């Protein structure tokens, strides 16, 4: 009915079709999780560790429990299966004794109003024994350094290592006439989606747990909630409302299990909303990566060899780190054919905020390294950046560093040609 | 002094879960009695526009308008699991699942239509412009709605449910050899920047961005993905950094963690390159993540072109640029 | 304390807490949830409303400060039957992705066009610079505002 405003709707595949939900969004009707409410709802607030690494010696909850409006104060003892995670369940719903990052949730307070929940949360006393932390992945990966997750990840903090080996690097260096070698570093980033995490959880008329949330993957959330609470999948309904951006930052569980737990225990609808600050302290981040790159080429401008070492800071929990560093290793060459390659990529656990999926997923950070190397090589060779790339890009039939032959759509050359006119005369400095 | 420079950045991106992990999307389809349609998938529209893409695909397959397709998504009581909204996978992977599920509903519809139109084979029937027609003989046709409601009275229902699994193999953990992702998306961008040598400030003036997405199922949304990607690339290259002290975030607010505002944005020229991907829905592959990747490099390379300093640690803050310029003038 | 204000043309008399923000009044008391909270510190513009013709971040305005004033929220702008020209332009230009920033963006654009019906590009950008968007890269948002101003050159 609303499909024809201004007549810009047209065609089907290939058409500039307008998104149906845009009407609700320009009118302010689209409901994000903070916008949904239910009669009789209470509010829950998490008490999070200010310390990056600590043992919990004890909790004092009496004051909080007695505070005005408080309905329940929950701890790890209330969680049937206290773990979640996309690859490993190494992240606690509520920390029992070992805090591994600042922002780890320890106690969950539920009260009639948000203000009462926050006040009561302020009355929770956690006795922390602060431990020395591991903040540098290069340090954390050394032998003999205490492991942060001995039960799940063994005696090392290296949660993942992938070598990618192709051809013979010695041969590649013998053929190389020009070499560029540099260290690169990318920073930790936040997704900064505009809608802070929020959730509404309640037990419905069937006795099923319903969780209304903005997530990237409702079925994953359902599995983690059901597992943590010891329920069957069919007893848990995750219902996605409007999602205010995600970019990877809504892959891992944030408030879903805590709100579900509070609702299951109190049989009241439970609302949780992160402030922007809580959002920063609680969801995953983009992996900072240190990348050592050494690239060789012939005078004729053909790449002969790449050696690279990439270390990604996984932070306190594995999340998607193995997959992300794998992706970094596999994409480390850039879209170029290089016959001789040795890449080593590592994901290392530390006591920094945990890192996980973010737009680009490990294929983003190496772009800084491989494209800087290309420009530096072009300068050494007296070629334009465009020309050096054209001599090395992947085309149909090219073989990647993992030995994969690209047989289908490989539009790299078309893309380069399409932007060529915008490059103008880049000075050959 | 303000100096201008241009830089080039290229990137590639293997889409899908990868590494042999079963990358499965599922969809349910029901054709209603008036010829409108419901598509149910677990795939969540997080703003990227996947629901619109699925409506367009189903509409194209059935010869109806996207507005006649309701896409229901991300409700575990109702929709089948279609995997996560990540890995630049929904247009390709879930798009393929929608095509397969629609194809099932369509197959029984065509068989029924062949009988109704006295055509010996369903292959001889096509769905176009809200009509069911005999190919090559457009005068022999019935309105889709009429046919479907007639079918209903005869006890026929047109439903579909199917899954699509992307092609991927596990890499050898000792050598990294294997075919981990399919398909790969490619992109190339040129950035023009202006560097203020007194303040170290970098303004990105223009970005031309060409991205190979196989086929633009919705060019309006594709342009939006590219512009949004460039914004995040600008933030990555120049502005954003979570700063830590003993593992604790020092800047957990928008006044201290700066994301690009409209004033930080360049003028954007988005170019959609369509190298058909035969395994994709209507030859499409993905665009979401790749859109931001070349921006990072194009800006860093443009800074070098403008003032001759190589920034190797991001973000390229004014402090880093001034330090590099000071270092350069010593030489 | 008691305040009197006009919200979307309707006079309201409300009992509020001293520390309560205009944003809370709109969202929690009046259930006008089109006004969003993205940061709570005046940085993102998701909570933008128009007060006496000027945009304000409603997270930075105390309910008491709104006493005696007229407030327009996104719910007061248009409906499906008759969209405000800015809303229509946002739709047609594809300026909406996740949509969380959209209500604030639309109101900032409306306030700009109300006081300056034919703004230049620069002026539009400055007027919109208090509203963050993480999805669109602002490109189509700027086009939408230009279109609403009747200035789009094809
Ligand atoms: S919520 Fe008010 S400016 Fe962000
Ligand atoms: S559309 Fe998502 S923040 Fe603007």
């Amino acid at each position: 009915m609303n499909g024809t405003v201004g007549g810009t709707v047209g065609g089907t595949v290939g058409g500039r079709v307008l998104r149906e939900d845009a009407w609700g969004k320009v009118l302010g009707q689209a409901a994000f999780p903070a916008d949904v409410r239910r009669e009789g709802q209470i509010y829950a607030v998490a008490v999070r560790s200010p310390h990056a690494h600590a043992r919990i010696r004890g909790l004092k909850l009496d004051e909080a429990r007695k505070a005005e409006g408080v309905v329940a104060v929950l701890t790890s003892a209330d969680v049937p299966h206290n773990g979640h995670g996309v690859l490993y369940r190494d992240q606690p719903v509520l920390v029992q004794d070992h805090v591994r990052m600042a922002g780890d949730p320890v106690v969950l307070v539920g009260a009639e109003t948000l203000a009462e929940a926050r006040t009561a949360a302020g009355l929770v006393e956690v006795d922390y024994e602060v431990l020395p932390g591991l903040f540098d992945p290069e340090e954390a990966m050394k032998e003999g350094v205490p492991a942060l997750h001995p039960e799940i990840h063994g005696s090392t903090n290296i949660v993942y290592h992938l070598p990618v080996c192709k051809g013979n690097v010695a041969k590649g260096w013998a053929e190389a006439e020009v070499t560029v070698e540099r260290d690169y570093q990318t920073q930790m980033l936040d997704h900064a989606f505009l809608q802070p995490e929020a959730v509404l959880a309640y037990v419905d008329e069937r006795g099923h747990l319903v969780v209304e949330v903005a997530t990237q993957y409702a079925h994953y959330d359902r599995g983690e909630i059901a597992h943590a609470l010891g329920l069957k999948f069919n007893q848990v309904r995750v219902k996605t409302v409007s999602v205010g951006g995600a970019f990877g930052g809504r892959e891992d569980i944030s408030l879903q299990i805590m709100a579900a737990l509070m609702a299951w225990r109190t049989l009241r609808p439970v609302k949780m909303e992160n402030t922007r600050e809580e959002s920063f302290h609680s969801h995953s981040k983009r992996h900072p990566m240190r990348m050592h790159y050494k690239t060789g080429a012939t005078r004729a401008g053909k790449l002969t060899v790449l050696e690279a070492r990439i270390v990604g800071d996984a932070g306190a929990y594995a999340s998607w780190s193995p997959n992300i560093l794998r992706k970094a290793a596999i994409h480390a060459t850039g879209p170029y054919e290089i016959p001789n390659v040795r890449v080593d990529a590592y994901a290392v656990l530390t006591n920094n905020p945990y890192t996980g999926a973010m737009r680009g997923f490990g294929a983003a950070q190496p772009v800084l390294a491989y494209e800087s190397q290309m420009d530096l090589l072009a300068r050494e060779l007296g070629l334009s950046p465009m020309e050096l790339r054209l001599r090395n890009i992947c085309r149909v039939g090219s073989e990647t560093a993992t030995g994969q032959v690209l047989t289908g759509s490989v539009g790299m050359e078309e893309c380069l040609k399409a932007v060529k006119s915008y490059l103008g005369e880049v000075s050959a400095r | 002094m303000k100096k201008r420079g241009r830089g080039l950045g290229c990137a590639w991106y293997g889409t899908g879960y990868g590494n042999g992990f079963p990358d499965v999307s599922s969809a349910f389809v029901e054709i209603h009695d008036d010829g409108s349609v419901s598509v149910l998938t677990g795939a969540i529209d997080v703003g990227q526009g996947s629901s619109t893409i699925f409506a367009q695909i189903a509409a194209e397959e059935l010869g109806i308008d996207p507005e006649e397709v309701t896409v229901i998504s991300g409700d575990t009581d109702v929709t089948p699991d279609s995997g996560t909204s990540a890995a630049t996978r929904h247009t390709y992977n879930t798009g393929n699942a929608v095509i397969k599920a629609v194809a099932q509903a369509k197959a029984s519809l065509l068989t029924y239509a062949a009988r109704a139109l006295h055509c010996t084979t369903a292959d001889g029937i096509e769905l176009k412009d809200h009509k069911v027609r005999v190919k090559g003989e457009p005068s022999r046709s019935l309105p889709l709605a009429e046919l479907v409601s007639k079918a209903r009275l005869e006890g026929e229902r047109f439903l579909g449910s199917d899954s699509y699994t992307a092609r991927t193999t596990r890499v050898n953990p000792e050598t990294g050899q294997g075919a981990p992702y399919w398909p790969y998306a490619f992109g190339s961008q040129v950035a023009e920047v202006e560097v203020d040598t007194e303040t170290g400030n970098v303004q990105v003036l223009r970005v031309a961005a060409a991205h190979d997405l196989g086929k633009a199922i919705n060019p309006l949304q594709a342009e939006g993905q590219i512009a949004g990607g460039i914004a995040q690339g600008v933030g990555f290259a120049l502005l954003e950094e979570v700063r830590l002290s003993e593992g604790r975030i020092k800047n957990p607010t928008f006044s201290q963690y700066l994301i690009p505002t409209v004033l930080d944005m360049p003028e954007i020229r988005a170019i959609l390159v369509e190298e058909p991907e035969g395994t994709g829905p209507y030859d499409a592959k993905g665009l979401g993540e790749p859109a931001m990747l070349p921006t990072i490099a194009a800006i860093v390379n443009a800074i070098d072109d403008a003032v001759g300093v190589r920034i190797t640690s991001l973000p390229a803050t004014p402090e880093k640029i001034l330090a590099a310029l000071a270092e350069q003038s010593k030489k | 304390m008691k305040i009197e204000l006009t919200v979307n043309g309707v006079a309201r008399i409300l009992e509020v807490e001293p520390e309560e923000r205009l944003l809370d009044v709109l969202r929690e008391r009046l259930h006008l949830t089109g006004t969003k909270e993205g940061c709570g510190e005046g940085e993102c513009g998701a909570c933008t409303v128009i007060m006496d013709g000027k945009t304000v971040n409603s997270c930075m305005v105390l309910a008491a400060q709104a006493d005696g004033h007229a407030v327009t929220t996104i719910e007061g702008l248009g409906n499906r039957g008759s969209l405000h020209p800015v809303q229509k332009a946002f739709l047609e230009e594809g300026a909406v992705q996740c949509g969380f920033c959209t209500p604030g963006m639309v109101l900032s654009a409306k306030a700009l066009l109300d006081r300056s019906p034919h703004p230049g590009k620069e002026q539009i950008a400055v007027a919109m610079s208090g509203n963050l968007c993480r999805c669109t890269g602002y490109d189509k948002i700027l086009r939408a505002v230009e279109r609403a101003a009747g200035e789009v050159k094809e």
Side-chain angles (χ1 to χ4, degrees):
Chain A
M1 63 172 252
N2 288 304
T4 48
V5 172
T8 52
V9 173
T12 45
V13 163
R16 299 172 77 84
V17 176
L18 305 185
R19 42 187 313 146
E20 190 182 42
D21 63 359
W23 273 266
K25 287 170 175 175
V26 297
L27 291 165
Q29 295 169 338
F32 295 85
D35 306 332
V36 292
R37 61 172 63 236
R38 226 172 145 83
E39 200 48 43
Q41 72 185 22
I42 62 171
Y43 290 82
V45 168
V47 177
R48 296 178 183 276
S49 170
H51 308 292
H53 199 199
R55 290 266 162 213
I56 296 177
R57 283 189 290 230
L59 300 173
K60 283 203 194 129
L61 307 173
D62 291 352
E63 292 299 309
R65 287 201 162 116
K66 280 186 297 192
E68 174 97 31
V70 168
V71 177
V73 178
L74 305 179
T75 68
S76 63
D78 297 293
V79 191
H81 302 281
N82 194 10
H84 64 86
V86 289
L87 291 171
Y88 305 94
R89 290 204 171 108
D90 63 355
Q91 200 163 352
V93 178
L94 293 169
V95 175
Q96 188 190 349
D97 63 343
H98 191 178
V99 168
R100 293 184 178 85
M101 67 169 245
D104 267 346
V106 181
V107 175
L108 187 63
V109 178
E112 297 291 343
T113 69
L114 181 57
E116 286 166 345
R118 290 210 183 278
T119 304
L123 298 172
V124 167
E125 279 182 57
V126 184
D127 181 10
Y128 294 103
E129 176 194 345
V130 177
L131 304 173
L134 292 169
F135 303 117
D136 180 350
E138 297 279 0
E139 281 301 310
M141 70 195 291
K142 286 186 181 152
E143 260 185 71
V145 172
L148 287 173
H149 288 268
E151 311 81 12
I152 295 175
H153 300 301
S155 60
T156 172
N157 291 314
I158 300 175
V159 73
Y160 187 73
H161 168 220
L162 181 71
V164 173
C165 319
K166 183 187 187 186
N168 177 342
V169 289
K171 182 167 162 280
W173 289 121
E175 288 165 9
E177 293 164 301
V178 179
T179 303
V180 170
E181 183 171 7
R182 292 278 169 131
D183 286 300
Y184 299 92
Q185 175 150 10
T186 60
Q187 74 277 38
M188 177 175 280
L189 296 175
D190 189 274
H191 310 79
F193 36 67
L194 220 59
Q195 175 234 325
E197 297 87 345
V199 54
L200 174 69
Y202 54 93
V203 179
D204 73 5
E205 67 283 2
R206 305 167 301 176
H208 290 191
L209 188 54
V210 183
V211 179
E212 298 192 30
V213 66
T215 176
Q216 287 173 241
Y217 191 4
H219 289 77
Y220 165 74
D221 291 4
R222 177 185 65 180
E224 295 305 284
I225 295 165
H227 169 264
L229 271 59
L231 300 173
K232 287 280 191 191
F233 280 13
N234 77 308
Q235 292 176 282
V236 179
R237 176 189 193 185
V238 175
K239 189 175 160 221
T240 313
V241 292
S242 293
V243 184
F247 318 114
R250 300 190 204 271
E251 281 274 301
D252 307 272
I253 293 291
S254 62
L255 305 174
Q256 293 93 319
I257 300 176
M258 286 193 279
L261 176 71
M262 182 62 79
W264 196 246
R265 295 297 296 241
T266 62
L267 298 177
R268 297 278 299 273
V270 175
K271 189 82 172 281
M272 285 188 85
E273 285 178 49
N274 271 346
T275 62
R276 176 57 55 185
E277 196 161 338
E278 285 171 320
S279 176
F280 266 98
H281 287 306
S282 60
H283 66 248
S284 75
K285 299 286 172 284
R286 189 191 289 281
H287 290 67
M289 288 191 194
R290 290 181 205 170
M291 300 171 283
H292 182 82
Y293 262 65
K294 191 175 172 192
T295 318
T298 64
R299 282 262 156 239
K302 283 297 269 186
L303 299 173
T304 62
V305 60
L306 167 70
E307 281 191 78
R309 180 177 185 270
I310 301 175
V311 177
D313 184 351
Y317 300 102
S319 181
W320 283 116
S321 289
N323 297 32
I324 288 165
L325 270 294
R326 181 190 305 128
K327 197 149 206 170
I330 289 166
H331 289 76
T333 56
Y336 307 108
E337 264 198 297
I338 310 180
N340 307 293
V341 175
R342 169 79 200 208
V343 178
D344 286 278
Y346 302 87
V348 186
L349 295 164
T350 65
N351 292 112
N352 290 323
Y354 82 101
T355 49
M358 185 166 173
R359 195 177 194 174
F361 201 81
Q365 295 91 333
V367 179
L368 169 71
Y370 65 68
E371 284 302 86
S372 296
Q373 292 286 96
M374 289 305 273
D375 266 29
L376 291 168
L377 273 172
R379 186 173 304 160
E380 292 286 322
L381 292 164
L383 290 173
S384 75
M386 176 62 76
E387 186 53 35
L388 179 65
R389 285 170 175 85
L390 283 171
R391 289 184 194 183
N392 293 283
I393 49 171
C394 289
R395 296 179 166 84
V396 174
S398 293
E399 195 187 283
T400 70
T402 71
Q404 182 172 7
V405 178
L406 302 177
T407 52
S409 161
V410 187
M412 191 65 250
E413 185 170 358
E414 289 308 310
C415 289
L416 268 174
K417 287 183 174 157
V419 297
K420 194 165 183 199
S421 63
Y422 296 90
L423 206 48
E425 285 303 303
V426 174
S427 55
R429 192 179 286 104
Chain B
M1 207 191 338
K2 290 188 174 176
K3 292 187 169 178
R4 290 189 178 191
R6 290 181 195 176
L8 176 63
C10 296
W12 65 326
Y13 187 86
T15 62
Y17 288 165
N19 202 44
F21 189 86
D23 192 349
V24 189
S25 287
S26 303
F28 297 160
V29 168
E30 177 176 17
I31 301 177
H32 304 304
D33 297 352
D34 63 353
S36 65
V37 171
S38 291
V39 172
L40 287 74
T41 83
I44 294 163
D45 194 325
V46 296
Q48 86 282 33
S50 53
S51 291
T52 314
I53 298 292
F54 304 147
Q56 289 178 259
I57 287 174
E60 182 78 38
E61 289 291 314
L62 296 170
I64 59 177
D65 296 332
E67 299 80 48
E68 294 168 285
V69 180
T70 296
V71 177
I72 299 146
S73 66
D75 182 339
T76 61
D77 263 13
V78 178
T79 62
D81 191 339
S82 297
T84 177
S85 294
T88 306
R89 58 183 289 285
H90 274 328
T91 293
Y92 178 80
N93 220 65
T94 309
N96 269 333
V98 169
I99 288 198
K100 287 179 73 179
V102 171
Q104 276 186 8
K106 186 172 163 180
S108 40
L109 192 150
L110 292 180
T111 303
Y112 177 84
R115 285 202 308 271
L117 289 167
H118 309 291
C119 179
T120 51
T121 164
D123 291 346
I125 305 292
E126 64 183 2
L127 300 178
K128 276 247 159 69
D129 302 331
H130 301 87
K131 287 197 179 67
V132 185
R133 322 192 288 216
V134 176
K135 283 183 192 163
E137 233 184 308
S139 62
R140 272 172 70 194
S141 77
L142 279 171
L144 175 66
E146 194 177 301
L147 183 96
V148 178
S149 66
K150 184 163 168 286
R152 163 67 132 203
L153 295 174
E154 293 169 17
E156 295 270 354
R157 298 291 285 119
F158 306 122
L159 308 172
S161 70
D162 211 341
S163 299
Y164 178 83
T165 306
R167 147 185 144 200
T168 164
T169 69
R170 186 166 172 263
V171 294
N172 180 319
E174 312 291 318
T175 64
Q177 295 299 293
Y181 301 104
W182 194 260
Y184 285 85
F186 299 86
S188 189
Q189 298 184 6
V190 169
E192 181 173 356
V193 303
E194 187 170 78
V195 183
D196 185 327
T197 56
E198 254 114 76
T199 64
N201 201 50
V202 178
Q203 183 75 33
V204 186
L205 304 173
R206 260 176 290 278
V207 171
H211 286 269
D212 169 24
L213 72 179
K215 160 84 187 171
I217 290 181
N218 187 326
L220 187 71
Q221 291 191 170
E223 291 159 9
Q225 282 287 306
I226 290 176
I230 290 170
Q232 293 190 2
V234 168
F236 195 158
L238 298 176
L239 298 171
E240 297 175 35
E241 178 167 28
V242 173
R243 295 196 307 273
L244 301 175
S245 158
E246 301 278 287
R248 200 174 159 74
I249 300 172
K250 289 196 294 182
N251 55 337
T253 63
F254 279 165
S255 53
Q256 298 164 294
Y257 183 91
L258 302 182
I259 68 171
T261 73
V262 65
L263 299 175
D264 298 306
M265 286 304 293
E267 192 183 311
I268 290 168
R269 173 98 172 86
I271 304 158
L272 307 177
V273 173
E274 298 183 322
E275 282 287 313
E277 169 51 45
T279 64
Y282 296 93
D283 295 330
K285 46 189 188 182
L287 172 67
E289 290 168 276
M292 71 171 287
L293 305 185
T295 316
I296 305 160
I299 290 173
V300 168
N301 286 337
I303 292 171
D304 194 341
D305 183 51
V307 293
V309 301
R310 176 61 39 187
I311 298 298
T312 55
S313 154
L314 296 183
T317 56
E319 297 75 44
K320 285 183 196 166
I321 286 169
L322 288 178
L325 286 170
E327 190 66 27
Q328 179 198 50
S329 64
K330 268 195 249 159
K331 283 189 192 148
Chain C
M1 58 187 298
K2 205 172 81 172
I3 59 167
E4 289 187 45
L5 72 171
T6 307
V7 180
N8 300 331
V10 181
R12 304 272 187 174
I13 301 173
L14 297 164
E15 194 62 41
V16 301
E17 302 295 325
E19 73 281 12
E20 204 168 324
R21 306 169 300 174
L22 175 58
L23 175 62
D24 304 319
V25 169
L26 296 172
R27 287 183 57 84
E28 304 300 326
R29 292 191 188 274
L30 303 177
H31 295 188
L32 295 170
T33 52
T35 307
K36 307 298 179 192
E37 177 160 9
C39 70
E41 53 158 357
E43 289 290 335
C44 76
C47 64
T48 301
V49 297
I50 299 175
M51 193 155 94
D52 301 337
K54 284 211 189 79
T55 55
V56 293
N57 288 324
S58 62
C59 73
M60 301 300 283
V61 176
L62 286 174
Q65 293 171 303
D67 189 19
H69 296 281
V71 174
T72 304
T73 72
I74 191 71
E75 290 89 349
L77 228 52
N79 59 41
R80 271 177 195 259
S82 73
L83 294 171
H84 185 276
V86 172
Q87 291 171 315
K88 188 163 176 285
F90 268 62
L91 276 175
E92 292 175 342
E93 287 292 338
V96 178
Q97 288 187 24
C98 85
F100 195 77
C101 69
T102 307
M105 289 281 182
V106 167
L107 289 169
S108 287
K110 178 198 185 296
L112 167 69
L113 298 184
D114 283 351
R115 68 173 183 271
S116 167
H118 302 290
K121 269 186 198 286
E122 196 93 329
Q123 201 183 349
I124 295 174
V126 170
M128 306 300 288
S129 64
N131 292 80
L132 295 178
C133 175
R134 191 57 155 170
C135 303
T136 64
Y138 306 100
D139 185 47
K140 293 198 181 294
I141 290 175
L142 291 180
R143 286 170 201 265
V145 183
E146 286 178 41
R147 182 179 189 130
E151 282 193 5
V152 157
K153 300 165 200 81
E154 294 301 343

